[in-house]
Amino acid sequence: MSVPLFPLPNIVLFPGQRLPLYIFEPRYRELLRRVQETGEPFGVVRILRPGAAQGETLTGRVSLVGTLAHLRWAETHEDGTSSVEVEGGERFRVRAFDTSHSYLAADLDLWPLEGPLADLHGMSGQSARLLAGLMRVYPQEAELIRQHAPQGALLLASYAAALLPLSPEQRMRALEAPTLLARIAELLAILPPVPDLN
C-alpha cells in the first residue's frame, strides 16, 4: 500500500494512542487535504536525526518502521493551518519511498505483531506487572492511572509507552518488538525495581 508520511522528531506512535498535531507547512496541508478527501490513513515515522545542515535527504533520516495514523478530527483555522488529532493503527515497514509529491510518501508493508494479542500464555501476569510498575513510577497519580488504564495487553502497552519517561530509542525498540510479550518486556525493563521490603 502507498500512503503519505508525516515525519516527526522524537515521536513514536503506538496502536490506539491519540496524538494531537498542528499542521502549518504547505506540504502537510496538502497531505491533510488528501487524507480528508480519501479517508485513508497516513504514516507517522520518526526523524532519526536532524541532517538538513549536513545535506542528508529526508529519506535517509527517517525510520523505516512506523505506525498508520487515522484522522479522528480536524479543525482548519482562518490562516489555513489546522489542528488535528489522530489515532495510531497498524505498524508498518517502508518498502520504498515516493518523492513525487510535495510531502514524503512510501510504499508500505503492514507488519503485524506475531503471536496472540489477547491475554494468553502469561500475558495477563505481564500486563499486571506493567500496570503496577506504571503506578510505582507515578505514585501520586496511581489511582488515576488504574482508572484510565485500557483493557487488553496491546492497548495497555501503548498506554504505558505514552506515560513512561522513555527515550525515543527506547520507544522505537518497543514498537519494533516482534511480539506483544516482547514489547511489554521492553517496557518492563526500564521500570525501576520493586523495592525490597526485607
Side-chain angles (χ1 to χ4, degrees):
M1 61 187 298
S2 177
V3 302
L5 295 181
F6 199 113
L8 291 165
N10 302 322
I11 296 293
V12 179
L13 182 64
F14 284 83
Q17 207 172 60
R18 294 291 181 103
L19 176 67
L21 296 170
Y22 179 61
I23 311 293
F24 60 93
E25 289 187 55
R27 57 182 166 172
Y28 296 121
R29 294 186 197 185
E30 184 181 338
L31 181 155
L32 178 60
R33 280 194 297 273
R34 169 177 165 175
V35 167
Q36 288 176 310
E37 288 169 4
T38 64
E40 68 184 321
F42 60 90
V44 170
V45 289
R46 179 179 160 235
I47 298 175
L48 300 174
R49 57 194 169 276
Q54 289 75 34
E56 189 177 9
T57 63
L58 182 59
T59 57
R61 297 186 288 116
V62 299
S63 172
L64 298 180
V65 174
T67 305
L68 291 181
H70 299 269
L71 187 64
R72 289 298 172 234
W73 64 262
E75 178 185 354
T76 301
H77 309 298
E78 288 185 5
D79 61 359
T81 64
S82 297
S83 298
V84 307
E85 185 178 76
V86 300
E87 183 174 330
E90 302 89 337
R91 179 178 66 171
F92 63 77
R93 287 185 175 117
V94 171
R95 191 181 334 121
F97 288 110
D98 173 4
T99 56
S100 64
H101 309 277
S102 63
Y103 49 82
L104 187 61
D107 292 326
L108 310 177
D109 290 319
L110 295 182
W111 185 22
L113 288 164
E114 302 166 16
L117 297 184
D119 280 334
L120 303 171
H121 308 301
M123 212 175 288
S124 289
Q126 294 294 78
S127 295
R129 284 184 60 206
L130 184 58
L131 181 57
L134 265 180
M135 294 190 298
R136 207 164 60 248
V137 171
Y138 302 108
Q140 302 299 321
E141 289 82 31
E143 191 50 41
L144 276 176
I145 288 171
R146 185 195 301 276
Q147 289 174 10
H148 290 96
Q151 296 296 311
L154 178 66
L155 293 182
L156 180 64
S158 297
Y159 180 70
L163 291 180
L164 288 172
L166 305 176
S167 69
E169 292 74 24
Q170 288 171 318
R171 292 183 200 283
M172 280 304 304
R173 283 199 297 274
L175 182 67
E176 293 173 349
T179 67
L180 183 51
L181 274 173
R183 179 174 294 169
I184 293 173
E186 287 282 349
L187 297 170
L188 286 171
I190 66 97
L191 290 172
V194 178
D196 186 355
L197 301 178
N198 293 329

